[in-house]
Amino acid sequence: MGIQDIIEGKKQWRAHVARVKTLPPDYQIVYKEMQKYLFKVGPVDLAEGPLLSGIVDFFEEGAASGKGVLELIGDDVAAFCDGLIKDSPTYADIYQESISGQSGTAGK
């Protein structure tokens, strides 16, 4: 990864954060909780994948239609996040495989 890649990544992240800041306050709170949860659970492709920007897209559409954030995702934020990453291998899966000696089961 070169310096240009790092700079471009920072620009993209700043643009992403700016989009989050335009959401209504309740959406911002839920997004930040989802982000913390996803960073903790650790889907392997979280940084490169479209998951976080897809959530912002989904929230922007919901806010534009006048829906509350919990109308979109339900009362259990963690369950909603788990549903989003159910087929994605996580760092926890990889760690579990490494200590159990199994291979090739992450994300299944």
Side-chain angles (χ1 to χ4, degrees):
M1 175 182 275
I3 190 76
Q4 289 301 104
D5 295 333
I6 294 170
I7 291 169
E8 185 59 33
K10 283 188 174 191
K11 285 181 184 177
Q12 290 174 357
W13 182 252
R14 286 185 184 129
H16 176 79
V17 170
R19 286 179 62 202
V20 171
K21 288 181 179 181
T22 65
L23 293 170
D26 57 334
Y27 279 84
Q28 289 182 42
I29 291 167
V30 171
Y31 174 83
K32 288 175 186 173
E33 290 303 312
M34 291 174 72
Q35 183 183 29
K36 277 194 277 185
Y37 181 81
L38 291 169
F39 283 158
K40 184 176 180 180
V41 170
V44 175
D45 64 350
L46 184 62
E48 298 88 29
L51 181 61
L52 293 176
S53 61
I55 293 170
V56 176
D57 292 340
F58 181 60
F59 280 6
E60 287 172 339
E61 291 173 18
S65 67
K67 293 183 179 178
V69 68
L70 295 181
E71 285 181 75
L72 295 176
I73 67 165
D75 293 334
D76 191 343
V77 175
F80 182 80
C81 290
D82 288 341
L84 292 175
I85 61 169
K86 68 180 177 195
D87 295 327
S88 301
T90 65
Y91 288 111
D93 293 333
I94 292 170
Y95 176 72
Q96 203 58 359
E97 286 175 5
S98 73
I99 61 173
S100 69
Q102 297 176 339
S103 64
T105 59
K108 292 185 181 176

